[in-house]
Amino acid sequence: MSLHSEIKTCTTCSDQLPLGPRPVVQFSNQSRILIIGQAPGTKVHASGVAWDDDSGDRLRGWLGLDKDTFYDPDKVALMPMGFCYPGKAKGGDAPPRKECAPQWHDRILTALPKERLTLLVGSYAQAQYLPHSRKASLTTRVQDGEHISEALGPVIPLPHPSWRVRMWMARNPWYEEEVLPKLKSRVAAQLS
């Protein structure tokens, strides 16, 4: 059974998932960019397509990628911290299930090319792969730009592109003015 098939048929935490298991992931052995996010929301759970919601539209805009490029696994790998919709919690979705990353991440990372750019989208991915900066605020991590992760190599931390990010961006205009143009250039260079 292929790794993709193993992931798609995973039921490890099915009794904990309010909508049942529906793992969402995208990768190939040629992916040039790896995006590690949080966990699918209800819209993504319904479609089975990663980032198939307003957050995905915003993220693609930040990266300067159209849908065809974004959803080409030979160009972009999409690996969440939790592969299935985790349910609701106070103030939004519950955190990603803790079973997924230890079960699947190393195997997926081994399947990806070594020469890649990794984007850590949101605090859960950053806490996992930038443990030395856990005490730093999201703003500080993003402002510091590119980091080196022991497990991943060069990584760029980004805020999660949910609707709430608009308030953060209003308080931090440097993100749109300075970070996003550099990010789009870096992404374009990685894919060329």
Side-chain angles (χ1 to χ4, degrees):
M1 180 182 287
S2 75
L3 180 54
H4 282 98
S5 297
E6 284 184 62
I7 293 169
K8 291 292 185 186
T9 58
C10 178
T11 59
T12 298
C13 53
S14 60
D15 59 336
Q16 304 294 318
L17 300 170
L19 301 180
R22 187 171 192 183
V24 178
V25 65
Q26 168 183 300
F27 64 94
S28 88
N29 63 0
Q30 297 178 49
S31 303
R32 304 293 302 150
I33 294 173
L34 168 61
I35 299 173
I36 304 177
Q38 294 185 175
T42 55
K43 287 182 181 178
V44 170
H45 176 85
S47 72
V49 178
W51 296 100
D52 185 24
D53 55 16
D54 292 341
S55 295
D57 292 341
R58 190 171 290 112
L59 179 60
R60 284 185 289 278
W62 289 353
L63 303 178
L65 296 179
D66 59 31
K67 282 188 171 188
D68 288 341
T69 303
F70 188 83
Y71 289 117
D72 180 344
D74 288 342
K75 294 179 179 164
V76 179
L78 305 169
M79 180 177 78
M81 293 301 297
F83 288 31
C84 297
Y85 172 65
K88 288 282 180 203
K90 185 179 177 186
D93 289 343
R97 298 287 315 161
K98 295 186 184 295
E99 295 88 348
C100 292
Q103 184 168 348
W104 302 113
H105 279 203
D106 285 346
R107 292 179 66 193
I108 292 171
L109 292 171
T110 300
L112 297 175
K114 298 271 186 254
E115 298 297 317
R116 65 178 181 265
L117 173 64
T118 300
L119 308 176
L120 300 176
V121 180
S123 60
Y124 295 106
Q126 292 163 23
Q128 175 78 23
Y129 288 106
L130 296 175
H132 62 278
S133 69
R134 272 192 186 143
K135 292 185 179 177
S137 69
L138 170 73
T139 301
T140 300
R141 285 191 300 270
V142 172
Q143 223 167 10
D144 287 348
E146 190 169 307
H147 297 248
I148 298 296
S149 162
E150 283 185 37
L152 303 172
V155 299
I156 298 175
L158 300 173
H160 191 278
S162 72
W163 63 271
R164 290 184 177 104
V165 80
R166 291 178 295 183
M167 294 175 281
W168 181 86
M169 289 175 69
R171 290 189 311 271
N172 298 285
W174 52 266
Y175 180 69
E176 203 163 7
E177 296 163 4
E178 299 167 26
V179 173
L180 291 185
K182 290 178 190 172
L183 176 64
K184 287 177 184 173
S185 294
R186 184 74 197 277
V187 166
Q190 185 69 24
L191 293 176
S192 65

mmCIF file of all heavy atoms in Angstrom, residues 29-80:
data_model
loop_
_atom_site.group_PDB
_atom_site.id
_atom_site.type_symbol
_atom_site.label_atom_id
_atom_site.label_comp_id
_atom_site.label_asym_id
_atom_site.label_seq_id
_atom_site.Cartn_x
_atom_site.Cartn_y
_atom_site.Cartn_z
ATOM 1 N N ASN A 29 7.058 13.117 -4.604
ATOM 2 C CA ASN A 29 8.508 13.092 -4.398
ATOM 3 C C ASN A 29 9.210 14.210 -5.166
ATOM 4 O O ASN A 29 10.429 14.277 -5.179
ATOM 5 C CB ASN A 29 9.093 11.722 -4.760
ATOM 6 C CG ASN A 29 8.906 11.378 -6.222
ATOM 7 O OD1 ASN A 29 8.344 12.151 -6.995
ATOM 8 N ND2 ASN A 29 9.369 10.201 -6.600
ATOM 9 N N GLN A 30 8.430 15.107 -5.786
ATOM 10 C CA GLN A 30 9.006 16.243 -6.507
ATOM 11 C C GLN A 30 8.583 17.597 -5.924
ATOM 12 O O GLN A 30 8.978 18.636 -6.439
ATOM 13 C CB GLN A 30 8.588 16.184 -7.977
ATOM 14 C CG GLN A 30 9.110 14.955 -8.696
ATOM 15 C CD GLN A 30 8.629 14.926 -10.128
ATOM 16 O OE1 GLN A 30 8.732 15.912 -10.842
ATOM 17 N NE2 GLN A 30 8.088 13.792 -10.537
ATOM 18 N N SER A 31 7.767 17.605 -4.878
ATOM 19 C CA SER A 31 7.250 18.860 -4.308
ATOM 20 C C SER A 31 8.393 19.809 -3.966
ATOM 21 O O SER A 31 9.324 19.448 -3.254
ATOM 22 C CB SER A 31 6.445 18.567 -3.033
ATOM 23 O OG SER A 31 5.392 17.680 -3.270
ATOM 24 N N ARG A 32 8.318 21.021 -4.465
ATOM 25 C CA ARG A 32 9.380 22.020 -4.258
ATOM 26 C C ARG A 32 9.112 22.899 -3.037
ATOM 27 O O ARG A 32 10.012 23.501 -2.482
ATOM 28 C CB ARG A 32 9.500 22.916 -5.498
ATOM 29 C CG ARG A 32 9.750 22.174 -6.793
ATOM 30 C CD ARG A 32 11.101 21.507 -6.869
ATOM 31 N NE ARG A 32 12.129 22.513 -6.697
ATOM 32 C CZ ARG A 32 13.322 22.281 -6.165
ATOM 33 N NH1 ARG A 32 13.638 21.091 -5.744
ATOM 34 N NH2 ARG A 32 14.198 23.238 -6.043
ATOM 35 N N ILE A 33 7.842 23.000 -2.665
ATOM 36 C CA ILE A 33 7.443 23.785 -1.507
ATOM 37 C C ILE A 33 6.598 22.898 -0.617
ATOM 38 O O ILE A 33 5.742 22.149 -1.096
ATOM 39 C CB ILE A 33 6.628 25.032 -1.933
ATOM 40 C CG1 ILE A 33 7.521 25.983 -2.725
ATOM 41 C CG2 ILE A 33 6.021 25.741 -0.721
ATOM 42 C CD1 ILE A 33 6.784 27.155 -3.340
ATOM 43 N N LEU A 34 6.842 22.971 0.682
ATOM 44 C CA LEU A 34 6.047 22.246 1.667
ATOM 45 C C LEU A 34 5.347 23.268 2.545
ATOM 46 O O LEU A 34 5.992 24.154 3.112
ATOM 47 C CB LEU A 34 6.944 21.353 2.534
ATOM 48 C CG LEU A 34 6.303 20.749 3.786
ATOM 49 C CD1 LEU A 34 5.123 19.855 3.435
ATOM 50 C CD2 LEU A 34 7.349 19.992 4.589
ATOM 51 N N ILE A 35 4.036 23.157 2.645
ATOM 52 C CA ILE A 35 3.255 24.021 3.521
ATOM 53 C C ILE A 35 2.704 23.160 4.654
ATOM 54 O O ILE A 35 1.966 22.211 4.414
ATOM 55 C CB ILE A 35 2.106 24.708 2.761
ATOM 56 C CG1 ILE A 35 2.671 25.586 1.636
ATOM 57 C CG2 ILE A 35 1.251 25.529 3.733
ATOM 58 C CD1 ILE A 35 1.626 26.174 0.716
ATOM 59 N N ILE A 36 3.129 23.491 5.869
ATOM 60 C CA ILE A 36 2.626 22.779 7.046
ATOM 61 C C ILE A 36 1.648 23.711 7.747
ATOM 62 O O ILE A 36 2.029 24.781 8.226
ATOM 63 C CB ILE A 36 3.765 22.363 8.000
ATOM 64 C CG1 ILE A 36 4.804 21.521 7.253
ATOM 65 C CG2 ILE A 36 3.195 21.596 9.191
ATOM 66 C CD1 ILE A 36 6.005 21.124 8.089
ATOM 67 N N GLY A 37 0.387 23.313 7.769
ATOM 68 C CA GLY A 37 -0.656 24.123 8.374
ATOM 69 C C GLY A 37 -1.190 23.496 9.642
ATOM 70 O O GLY A 37 -0.489 22.736 10.314
ATOM 71 N N GLN A 38 -2.436 23.781 9.977
ATOM 72 C CA GLN A 38 -3.029 23.325 11.230
ATOM 73 C C GLN A 38 -3.820 22.042 11.032
ATOM 74 O O GLN A 38 -3.306 20.960 11.217
ATOM 75 C CB GLN A 38 -3.892 24.436 11.815
ATOM 76 C CG GLN A 38 -3.062 25.627 12.223
ATOM 77 C CD GLN A 38 -3.848 26.712 12.922
ATOM 78 O OE1 GLN A 38 -3.245 27.653 13.361
ATOM 79 N NE2 GLN A 38 -5.139 26.620 13.033
ATOM 80 N N ALA A 39 -5.078 22.171 10.663
ATOM 81 C CA ALA A 39 -5.958 21.025 10.425
ATOM 82 C C ALA A 39 -7.101 21.511 9.546
ATOM 83 O O ALA A 39 -7.417 22.702 9.546
ATOM 84 C CB ALA A 39 -6.499 20.470 11.745
ATOM 85 N N PRO A 40 -7.721 20.629 8.807
ATOM 86 C CA PRO A 40 -8.830 21.049 7.951
ATOM 87 C C PRO A 40 -9.999 21.590 8.762
ATOM 88 O O PRO A 40 -10.271 21.115 9.864
ATOM 89 C CB PRO A 40 -9.242 19.764 7.243
ATOM 90 C CG PRO A 40 -8.203 18.754 7.529
ATOM 91 C CD PRO A 40 -7.446 19.199 8.719
ATOM 92 N N GLY A 41 -10.692 22.570 8.202
ATOM 93 C CA GLY A 41 -11.951 23.050 8.760
ATOM 94 C C GLY A 41 -13.097 22.276 8.145
ATOM 95 O O GLY A 41 -12.893 21.321 7.379
ATOM 96 N N THR A 42 -14.308 22.683 8.426
ATOM 97 C CA THR A 42 -15.477 21.948 7.935
ATOM 98 C C THR A 42 -15.607 22.000 6.418
ATOM 99 O O THR A 42 -15.995 21.014 5.796
ATOM 100 C CB THR A 42 -16.777 22.468 8.578
ATOM 101 O OG1 THR A 42 -16.873 23.880 8.358
ATOM 102 C CG2 THR A 42 -16.819 22.177 10.065
ATOM 103 N N LYS A 43 -15.271 23.133 5.799
ATOM 104 C CA LYS A 43 -15.363 23.225 4.332
ATOM 105 C C LYS A 43 -14.375 22.279 3.671
ATOM 106 O O LYS A 43 -14.692 21.619 2.679
ATOM 107 C CB LYS A 43 -15.118 24.657 3.866
ATOM 108 C CG LYS A 43 -16.243 25.604 4.161
ATOM 109 C CD LYS A 43 -15.954 26.990 3.627
ATOM 110 C CE LYS A 43 -17.074 27.947 3.951
ATOM 111 N NZ LYS A 43 -16.805 29.314 3.497
ATOM 112 N N VAL A 44 -13.163 22.223 4.207
ATOM 113 C CA VAL A 44 -12.144 21.325 3.648
ATOM 114 C C VAL A 44 -12.535 19.871 3.910
ATOM 115 O O VAL A 44 -12.367 19.012 3.048
ATOM 116 C CB VAL A 44 -10.751 21.667 4.207
ATOM 117 C CG1 VAL A 44 -9.728 20.601 3.829
ATOM 118 C CG2 VAL A 44 -10.306 23.040 3.716
ATOM 119 N N HIS A 45 -13.077 19.595 5.088
ATOM 120 C CA HIS A 45 -13.546 18.237 5.366
ATOM 121 C C HIS A 45 -14.601 17.820 4.337
ATOM 122 O O HIS A 45 -14.567 16.706 3.825
ATOM 123 C CB HIS A 45 -14.120 18.136 6.781
ATOM 124 C CG HIS A 45 -14.695 16.802 7.089
ATOM 125 N ND1 HIS A 45 -13.921 15.755 7.537
ATOM 126 C CD2 HIS A 45 -15.955 16.314 6.972
ATOM 127 C CE1 HIS A 45 -14.685 14.682 7.690
ATOM 128 N NE2 HIS A 45 -15.931 15.002 7.356
ATOM 129 N N ALA A 46 -15.507 18.738 4.023
ATOM 130 C CA ALA A 46 -16.579 18.429 3.068
ATOM 131 C C ALA A 46 -16.039 18.182 1.663
ATOM 132 O O ALA A 46 -16.474 17.257 0.975
ATOM 133 C CB ALA A 46 -17.610 19.549 3.046
ATOM 134 N N SER A 47 -15.067 18.987 1.228
ATOM 135 C CA SER A 47 -14.561 18.851 -0.143
ATOM 136 C C SER A 47 -13.437 17.822 -0.251
ATOM 137 O O SER A 47 -13.215 17.265 -1.322
ATOM 138 C CB SER A 47 -14.053 20.203 -0.659
ATOM 139 O OG SER A 47 -12.833 20.558 -0.014
ATOM 140 N N GLY A 48 -12.697 17.616 0.835
ATOM 141 C CA GLY A 48 -11.540 16.729 0.788
ATOM 142 C C GLY A 48 -10.334 17.361 0.118
ATOM 143 O O GLY A 48 -9.342 16.688 -0.162
ATOM 144 N N VAL A 49 -10.385 18.681 -0.115
ATOM 145 C CA VAL A 49 -9.311 19.406 -0.787
ATOM 146 C C VAL A 49 -8.690 20.396 0.202
ATOM 147 O O VAL A 49 -9.389 21.265 0.732
ATOM 148 C CB VAL A 49 -9.833 20.164 -2.030
ATOM 149 C CG1 VAL A 49 -8.726 20.954 -2.697
ATOM 150 C CG2 VAL A 49 -10.467 19.188 -3.009
ATOM 151 N N ALA A 50 -7.404 20.262 0.453
ATOM 152 C CA ALA A 50 -6.712 21.129 1.410
ATOM 153 C C ALA A 50 -6.849 22.606 1.038
ATOM 154 O O ALA A 50 -6.803 22.971 -0.138
ATOM 155 C CB ALA A 50 -5.229 20.756 1.474
ATOM 156 N N TRP A 51 -7.018 23.445 2.036
ATOM 157 C CA TRP A 51 -7.078 24.894 1.858
ATOM 158 C C TRP A 51 -8.170 25.322 0.871
ATOM 159 O O TRP A 51 -8.054 26.332 0.207
ATOM 160 C CB TRP A 51 -5.718 25.451 1.426
ATOM 161 C CG TRP A 51 -4.643 25.275 2.451
ATOM 162 C CD1 TRP A 51 -3.676 24.305 2.459
ATOM 163 C CD2 TRP A 51 -4.406 26.071 3.619
ATOM 164 N NE1 TRP A 51 -2.878 24.449 3.555
ATOM 165 C CE2 TRP A 51 -3.301 25.536 4.288
ATOM 166 C CE3 TRP A 51 -5.041 27.197 4.157
ATOM 167 C CZ2 TRP A 51 -2.798 26.080 5.468
ATOM 168 C CZ3 TRP A 51 -4.540 27.738 5.332
ATOM 169 C CH2 TRP A 51 -3.428 27.175 5.971
ATOM 170 N N ASP A 52 -9.237 24.550 0.789
ATOM 171 C CA ASP A 52 -10.351 24.850 -0.112
ATOM 172 C C ASP A 52 -11.385 25.714 0.610
ATOM 173 O O ASP A 52 -12.528 25.320 0.802
ATOM 174 C CB ASP A 52 -10.973 23.539 -0.600
ATOM 175 C CG ASP A 52 -12.055 23.735 -1.634
ATOM 176 O OD1 ASP A 52 -12.057 24.774 -2.310
ATOM 177 O OD2 ASP A 52 -12.914 22.835 -1.754
ATOM 178 N N ASP A 53 -10.942 26.905 1.044
ATOM 179 C CA ASP A 53 -11.800 27.807 1.805
ATOM 180 C C ASP A 53 -11.223 29.221 1.721
ATOM 181 O O ASP A 53 -10.267 29.457 0.986
ATOM 182 C CB ASP A 53 -11.912 27.335 3.263
ATOM 183 C CG ASP A 53 -10.568 27.150 3.960
ATOM 184 O OD1 ASP A 53 -9.534 27.666 3.453
ATOM 185 O OD2 ASP A 53 -10.532 26.504 5.015
ATOM 186 N N ASP A 54 -11.817 30.150 2.463
ATOM 187 C CA ASP A 54 -11.341 31.538 2.426
ATOM 188 C C ASP A 54 -9.897 31.654 2.886
ATOM 189 O O ASP A 54 -9.131 32.455 2.344
ATOM 190 C CB ASP A 54 -12.234 32.431 3.298
ATOM 191 C CG ASP A 54 -13.636 32.583 2.738
ATOM 192 O OD1 ASP A 54 -13.843 32.315 1.533
ATOM 193 O OD2 ASP A 54 -14.544 32.969 3.503
ATOM 194 N N SER A 55 -9.500 30.862 3.879
ATOM 195 C CA SER A 55 -8.103 30.887 4.341
ATOM 196 C C SER A 55 -7.163 30.476 3.211
ATOM 197 O O SER A 55 -6.089 31.052 3.046
ATOM 198 C CB SER A 55 -7.905 29.937 5.527
ATOM 199 O OG SER A 55 -8.633 30.374 6.646
ATOM 200 N N GLY A 56 -7.565 29.494 2.441
ATOM 201 C CA GLY A 56 -6.757 29.055 1.307
ATOM 202 C C GLY A 56 -6.641 30.135 0.244
ATOM 203 O O GLY A 56 -5.573 30.330 -0.334
ATOM 204 N N ASP A 57 -7.749 30.830 -0.012
ATOM 205 C CA ASP A 57 -7.695 31.942 -0.978
ATOM 206 C C ASP A 57 -6.694 32.999 -0.513
ATOM 207 O O ASP A 57 -5.890 33.496 -1.297
ATOM 208 C CB ASP A 57 -9.074 32.587 -1.146
ATOM 209 C CG ASP A 57 -10.078 31.667 -1.822
ATOM 210 O OD1 ASP A 57 -9.666 30.688 -2.487
ATOM 211 O OD2 ASP A 57 -11.290 31.931 -1.679
ATOM 212 N N ARG A 58 -6.745 33.330 0.765
ATOM 213 C CA ARG A 58 -5.834 34.333 1.316
ATOM 214 C C ARG A 58 -4.385 33.832 1.237
ATOM 215 O O ARG A 58 -3.490 34.566 0.835
ATOM 216 C CB ARG A 58 -6.230 34.657 2.759
ATOM 217 C CG ARG A 58 -5.506 35.859 3.331
ATOM 218 C CD ARG A 58 -6.080 36.294 4.679
ATOM 219 N NE ARG A 58 -7.406 36.876 4.506
ATOM 220 C CZ ARG A 58 -8.553 36.325 4.939
ATOM 221 N NH1 ARG A 58 -8.546 35.189 5.594
ATOM 222 N NH2 ARG A 58 -9.704 36.921 4.730
ATOM 223 N N LEU A 59 -4.152 32.582 1.599
ATOM 224 C CA LEU A 59 -2.796 32.025 1.551
ATOM 225 C C LEU A 59 -2.250 32.030 0.127
ATOM 226 O O LEU A 59 -1.106 32.434 -0.107
ATOM 227 C CB LEU A 59 -2.788 30.597 2.124
ATOM 228 C CG LEU A 59 -1.438 29.886 2.117
ATOM 229 C CD1 LEU A 59 -0.401 30.636 2.936
ATOM 230 C CD2 LEU A 59 -1.592 28.451 2.617
ATOM 231 N N ARG A 60 -3.064 31.606 -0.838
ATOM 232 C CA ARG A 60 -2.600 31.620 -2.233
ATOM 233 C C ARG A 60 -2.270 33.041 -2.678
ATOM 234 O O ARG A 60 -1.297 33.264 -3.400
ATOM 235 C CB ARG A 60 -3.649 30.982 -3.145
ATOM 236 C CG ARG A 60 -3.677 29.457 -3.041
ATOM 237 C CD ARG A 60 -4.638 28.823 -4.032
ATOM 238 N NE ARG A 60 -6.031 29.071 -3.689
ATOM 239 C CZ ARG A 60 -6.720 28.377 -2.790
ATOM 240 N NH1 ARG A 60 -6.134 27.385 -2.140
ATOM 241 N NH2 ARG A 60 -7.987 28.661 -2.536
ATOM 242 N N GLY A 61 -3.053 34.022 -2.234
ATOM 243 C CA GLY A 61 -2.750 35.414 -2.538
ATOM 244 C C GLY A 61 -1.424 35.845 -1.943
ATOM 245 O O GLY A 61 -0.625 36.510 -2.606
ATOM 246 N N TRP A 62 -1.168 35.453 -0.708
ATOM 247 C CA TRP A 62 0.116 35.789 -0.073
ATOM 248 C C TRP A 62 1.287 35.198 -0.842
ATOM 249 O O TRP A 62 2.344 35.813 -0.946
ATOM 250 C CB TRP A 62 0.163 35.246 1.343
ATOM 251 C CG TRP A 62 -0.706 35.932 2.347
ATOM 252 C CD1 TRP A 62 -1.447 37.067 2.175
ATOM 253 C CD2 TRP A 62 -0.927 35.508 3.688
ATOM 254 N NE1 TRP A 62 -2.109 37.368 3.327
ATOM 255 C CE2 TRP A 62 -1.817 36.432 4.275
ATOM 256 C CE3 TRP A 62 -0.476 34.435 4.447
ATOM 257 C CZ2 TRP A 62 -2.245 36.318 5.604
ATOM 258 C CZ3 TRP A 62 -0.905 34.321 5.762
ATOM 259 C CH2 TRP A 62 -1.769 35.250 6.329
ATOM 260 N N LEU A 63 1.102 33.987 -1.361
ATOM 261 C CA LEU A 63 2.190 33.282 -2.042
ATOM 262 C C LEU A 63 2.309 33.651 -3.515
ATOM 263 O O LEU A 63 3.304 33.328 -4.158
ATOM 264 C CB LEU A 63 1.980 31.770 -1.930
ATOM 265 C CG LEU A 63 1.859 31.205 -0.512
ATOM 266 C CD1 LEU A 63 1.597 29.711 -0.564
ATOM 267 C CD2 LEU A 63 3.075 31.534 0.322
ATOM 268 N N GLY A 64 1.280 34.305 -4.063
ATOM 269 C CA GLY A 64 1.283 34.639 -5.479
ATOM 270 C C GLY A 64 1.065 33.416 -6.353
ATOM 271 O O GLY A 64 1.585 33.341 -7.471
ATOM 272 N N LEU A 65 0.290 32.444 -5.857
ATOM 273 C CA LEU A 65 0.058 31.200 -6.600
ATOM 274 C C LEU A 65 -1.403 31.087 -7.023
ATOM 275 O O LEU A 65 -2.305 31.374 -6.237
ATOM 276 C CB LEU A 65 0.411 29.985 -5.739
ATOM 277 C CG LEU A 65 1.871 29.842 -5.317
ATOM 278 C CD1 LEU A 65 2.039 28.605 -4.441
ATOM 279 C CD2 LEU A 65 2.778 29.767 -6.529
ATOM 280 N N ASP A 66 -1.611 30.627 -8.255
ATOM 281 C CA ASP A 66 -2.970 30.323 -8.685
ATOM 282 C C ASP A 66 -3.323 28.913 -8.209
ATOM 283 O O ASP A 66 -2.464 28.168 -7.725
ATOM 284 C CB ASP A 66 -3.107 30.460 -10.200
ATOM 285 C CG ASP A 66 -2.173 29.545 -10.980
ATOM 286 O OD1 ASP A 66 -1.851 28.433 -10.498
ATOM 287 O OD2 ASP A 66 -1.765 29.929 -12.085
ATOM 288 N N LYS A 67 -4.584 28.539 -8.343
ATOM 289 C CA LYS A 67 -5.029 27.232 -7.853
ATOM 290 C C LYS A 67 -4.343 26.076 -8.568
ATOM 291 O O LYS A 67 -4.025 25.055 -7.947
ATOM 292 C CB LYS A 67 -6.552 27.101 -7.959
ATOM 293 C CG LYS A 67 -7.296 27.822 -6.872
ATOM 294 C CD LYS A 67 -8.781 27.491 -6.916
ATOM 295 C CE LYS A 67 -9.463 28.046 -5.669
ATOM 296 N NZ LYS A 67 -10.853 27.587 -5.565
ATOM 297 N N ASP A 68 -4.135 26.215 -9.881
ATOM 298 C CA ASP A 68 -3.496 25.119 -10.619
ATOM 299 C C ASP A 68 -2.106 24.815 -10.074
ATOM 300 O O ASP A 68 -1.736 23.654 -9.912
ATOM 301 C CB ASP A 68 -3.406 25.443 -12.116
ATOM 302 C CG ASP A 68 -4.757 25.373 -12.817
ATOM 303 O OD1 ASP A 68 -5.687 24.746 -12.264
ATOM 304 O OD2 ASP A 68 -4.880 25.961 -13.911
ATOM 305 N N THR A 69 -1.347 25.848 -9.804
ATOM 306 C CA THR A 69 0.010 25.657 -9.266
ATOM 307 C C THR A 69 -0.060 25.133 -7.839
ATOM 308 O O THR A 69 0.643 24.185 -7.469
ATOM 309 C CB THR A 69 0.795 26.978 -9.313
ATOM 310 O OG1 THR A 69 0.818 27.454 -10.661
ATOM 311 C CG2 THR A 69 2.212 26.804 -8.807
ATOM 312 N N PHE A 70 -0.902 25.746 -7.016
ATOM 313 C CA PHE A 70 -1.027 25.381 -5.607
ATOM 314 C C PHE A 70 -1.427 23.923 -5.437
ATOM 315 O O PHE A 70 -0.947 23.236 -4.538
ATOM 316 C CB PHE A 70 -2.054 26.297 -4.947
ATOM 317 C CG PHE A 70 -2.155 26.164 -3.456
ATOM 318 C CD1 PHE A 70 -1.266 26.827 -2.624
ATOM 319 C CD2 PHE A 70 -3.168 25.409 -2.875
ATOM 320 C CE1 PHE A 70 -1.380 26.733 -1.241
ATOM 321 C CE2 PHE A 70 -3.289 25.307 -1.492
ATOM 322 C CZ PHE A 70 -2.380 25.971 -0.680
ATOM 323 N N TYR A 71 -2.314 23.446 -6.307
ATOM 324 C CA TYR A 71 -2.804 22.075 -6.187
ATOM 325 C C TYR A 71 -2.048 21.075 -7.064
ATOM 326 O O TYR A 71 -2.499 19.950 -7.257
ATOM 327 C CB TYR A 71 -4.307 22.020 -6.454
ATOM 328 C CG TYR A 71 -5.098 22.654 -5.337
ATOM 329 C CD1 TYR A 71 -5.878 23.782 -5.557
ATOM 330 C CD2 TYR A 71 -5.048 22.134 -4.053
ATOM 331 C CE1 TYR A 71 -6.591 24.371 -4.520
ATOM 332 C CE2 TYR A 71 -5.750 22.720 -3.011
ATOM 333 C CZ TYR A 71 -6.516 23.828 -3.250
ATOM 334 O OH TYR A 71 -7.217 24.407 -2.217
ATOM 335 N N ASP A 72 -0.880 21.458 -7.546
ATOM 336 C CA ASP A 72 -0.005 20.536 -8.279
ATOM 337 C C ASP A 72 0.960 19.931 -7.264
ATOM 338 O O ASP A 72 1.869 20.618 -6.782
ATOM 339 C CB ASP A 72 0.758 21.297 -9.366
ATOM 340 C CG ASP A 72 1.678 20.412 -10.178
ATOM 341 O OD1 ASP A 72 1.975 19.269 -9.745
ATOM 342 O OD2 ASP A 72 2.127 20.866 -11.242
ATOM 343 N N PRO A 73 0.783 18.656 -6.901
ATOM 344 C CA PRO A 73 1.643 18.061 -5.868
ATOM 345 C C PRO A 73 3.124 18.006 -6.253
ATOM 346 O O PRO A 73 3.978 17.910 -5.378
ATOM 347 C CB PRO A 73 1.064 16.661 -5.660
ATOM 348 C CG PRO A 73 0.242 16.393 -6.867
ATOM 349 C CD PRO A 73 -0.202 17.715 -7.419
ATOM 350 N N ASP A 74 3.433 18.092 -7.548
ATOM 351 C CA ASP A 74 4.839 18.131 -7.943
ATOM 352 C C ASP A 74 5.459 19.492 -7.638
ATOM 353 O O ASP A 74 6.675 19.638 -7.675
ATOM 354 C CB ASP A 74 5.000 17.819 -9.426
ATOM 355 C CG ASP A 74 4.746 16.344 -9.734
ATOM 356 O OD1 ASP A 74 4.787 15.515 -8.789
ATOM 357 O OD2 ASP A 74 4.499 16.018 -10.907
ATOM 358 N N LYS A 75 4.618 20.470 -7.330
ATOM 359 C CA LYS A 75 5.114 21.799 -6.963
ATOM 360 C C LYS A 75 4.925 22.091 -5.483
ATOM 361 O O LYS A 75 5.820 22.612 -4.834
ATOM 362 C CB LYS A 75 4.419 22.866 -7.814
ATOM 363 C CG LYS A 75 4.782 22.749 -9.278
ATOM 364 C CD LYS A 75 4.089 23.772 -10.130
ATOM 365 C CE LYS A 75 4.547 23.581 -11.578
ATOM 366 N NZ LYS A 75 3.708 24.247 -12.522
ATOM 367 N N VAL A 76 3.759 21.763 -4.956
ATOM 368 C CA VAL A 76 3.428 22.129 -3.578
ATOM 369 C C VAL A 76 2.916 20.914 -2.803
ATOM 370 O O VAL A 76 1.989 20.233 -3.240
ATOM 371 C CB VAL A 76 2.353 23.245 -3.549
ATOM 372 C CG1 VAL A 76 1.986 23.612 -2.119
ATOM 373 C CG2 VAL A 76 2.831 24.481 -4.309
ATOM 374 N N ALA A 77 3.543 20.667 -1.652
ATOM 375 C CA ALA A 77 3.067 19.646 -0.716
ATOM 376 C C ALA A 77 2.290 20.348 0.390
ATOM 377 O O ALA A 77 2.708 21.414 0.866
ATOM 378 C CB ALA A 77 4.240 18.871 -0.129
ATOM 379 N N LEU A 78 1.173 19.778 0.790
ATOM 380 C CA LEU A 78 0.323 20.340 1.831
ATOM 381 C C LEU A 78 0.187 19.296 2.932
ATOM 382 O O LEU A 78 -0.449 18.257 2.742
ATOM 383 C CB LEU A 78 -1.042 20.706 1.253
ATOM 384 C CG LEU A 78 -1.004 21.654 0.046
ATOM 385 C CD1 LEU A 78 -2.368 21.738 -0.623
ATOM 386 C CD2 LEU A 78 -0.508 23.027 0.460
ATOM 387 N N MET A 79 0.825 19.562 4.072
ATOM 388 C CA MET A 79 0.868 18.600 5.166
ATOM 389 C C MET A 79 0.432 19.300 6.457
ATOM 390 O O MET A 79 1.189 20.079 7.018
ATOM 391 C CB MET A 79 2.294 18.049 5.311
ATOM 392 C CG MET A 79 2.464 17.032 6.417
ATOM 393 S SD MET A 79 4.140 16.344 6.498
ATOM 394 C CE MET A 79 5.034 17.682 7.315
ATOM 395 N N PRO A 80 -0.772 19.044 6.917
ATOM 396 C CA PRO A 80 -1.225 19.696 8.145
ATOM 397 C C PRO A 80 -0.670 19.018 9.394
ATOM 398 O O PRO A 80 -0.164 17.898 9.343
ATOM 399 C CB PRO A 80 -2.742 19.555 8.074
ATOM 400 C CG PRO A 80 -2.968 18.334 7.256
ATOM 401 C CD PRO A 80 -1.813 18.241 6.294
#
